[in-house]
Amino acid sequence: GNSVTQMEGPVTLSEEAFLTINCTYTATGYPSLFWYVQYPGEGLQLLLKATKADDKGSNKGFEATYRKETTSFHLEKGSVQVSDSAVYFCALSDSTGNQFYFGTGTSLTVIP
Amino acid sequence: DAGITQSPRHKVTETGTPVTLRCHQTENHRYMYWYRQDPGHGLRLIHYSYGVKDTDKGEVSDGYSVSRSKTEDFLLTLESATSSQTSVYFCAISSLPSTEAFFGQGTRLTVV
């Protein structure tokens, strides 16, 4: 079956620190992979995506590379800001189905 | 931003009463989804729709029903609300199963 496992939180970092949030997946077929971000009181917003192996998604300084050999899609940012404080969700969509599968979310707090 | 409106945004209801949540989209997307978000569980799929009058169950469908009589509207009904259905409910839409999903702002439902 399809599933997503992501790093447990919460994560607390100082401003300008390097961020990594780990995400691994299990999927049938050839999934597309996503990172979503959720700010307090809001819905999920797409942060970045990758649709095939070795693709790198990037947005707002965040990056993630689709690694088929390790079934991973880790989120990274070189220098976090206080405004990056949010909950981050890794997700996949299997092209053979109609569903999205989400990880449990990782809460990030960035302190000045 | 994708045109997705959820209503109501907040609701408190009593155990045993029926409740209907509405999701309205202006994007003409084929797929619509209802998720619930609970601490420690991430997002879990309740039901989804792949066209008018075409719906299917997700992983936590017990106690919920849905209807989609028009492309733009997807209704989620709790036939007889229970305290375990206290949650934040999100609607999402997508044009194809392997493309990104766009989320509404959520409905916070409390069953007392």
Side-chain angles (χ1 to χ4, degrees), chain A residues 6-106:
Chain A
Q6 69 179 96
M7 175 176 165
E8 293 283 336
V11 175
T12 301
L13 295 174
S14 297
E15 204 165 24
E16 299 184 1
F18 185 86
L19 169 71
T20 299
I21 301 178
N22 290 336
C23 172
T24 58
Y25 67 90
T26 302
T28 56
Y30 302 95
S32 295
L33 302 174
F34 309 89
W35 276 101
Y36 284 85
V37 59
Q38 184 181 33
Y39 299 102
E42 299 186 8
L44 278 71
Q45 303 173 25
L46 180 68
L47 181 59
L48 53 83
K49 67 177 181 180
T51 58
K52 61 183 187 296
D54 300 324
D55 270 1
K56 177 185 284 188
S58 61
N59 185 26
K60 299 180 181 179
F62 291 89
E63 294 183 339
T65 300
Y66 188 145
R67 301 287 188 197
K68 190 172 176 63
E69 65 275 12
T70 55
T71 62
S72 65
F73 193 54
H74 304 320
L75 182 68
E76 297 182 335
K77 186 175 186 183
S79 176
V80 293
Q81 305 300 311
V82 172
S83 57
D84 294 327
S85 298
V87 180
Y88 292 82
F89 291 91
C90 185
L92 72 82
S93 173
D94 186 344
S95 60
T96 64
N98 299 319
Q99 300 186 30
F100 293 84
Y101 299 85
F102 288 85
T104 54
T106 301

Side-chain angles (χ1 to χ4, degrees), chain A residues 8 89 103-105, chain B residues 37-44:
Chain A
E8 293 283 336
F89 291 91
T104 54
Chain B
Q37 183 178 26
D38 304 288
H41 292 278
L43 276 80
R44 294 181 291 175

Side-chain angles (χ1 to χ4, degrees), chain B residues 7-49:
Chain B
S7 58
R9 292 292 313 279
H10 302 272
K11 186 170 181 66
V12 179
T13 192
E14 293 186 350
T15 299
T17 60
V19 177
T20 296
L21 309 183
R22 180 180 184 238
C23 178
H24 178 78
Q25 62 147 329
T26 58
E27 305 297 318
N28 201 35
H29 282 351
R30 178 182 175 189
Y31 294 89
M32 298 186 75
Y33 309 84
W34 277 108
Y35 290 90
R36 60 178 289 174
Q37 183 178 26
D38 304 288
H41 292 278
L43 276 80
R44 294 181 291 175
L45 182 66
I46 305 171
H47 283 279
Y48 66 97
S49 169

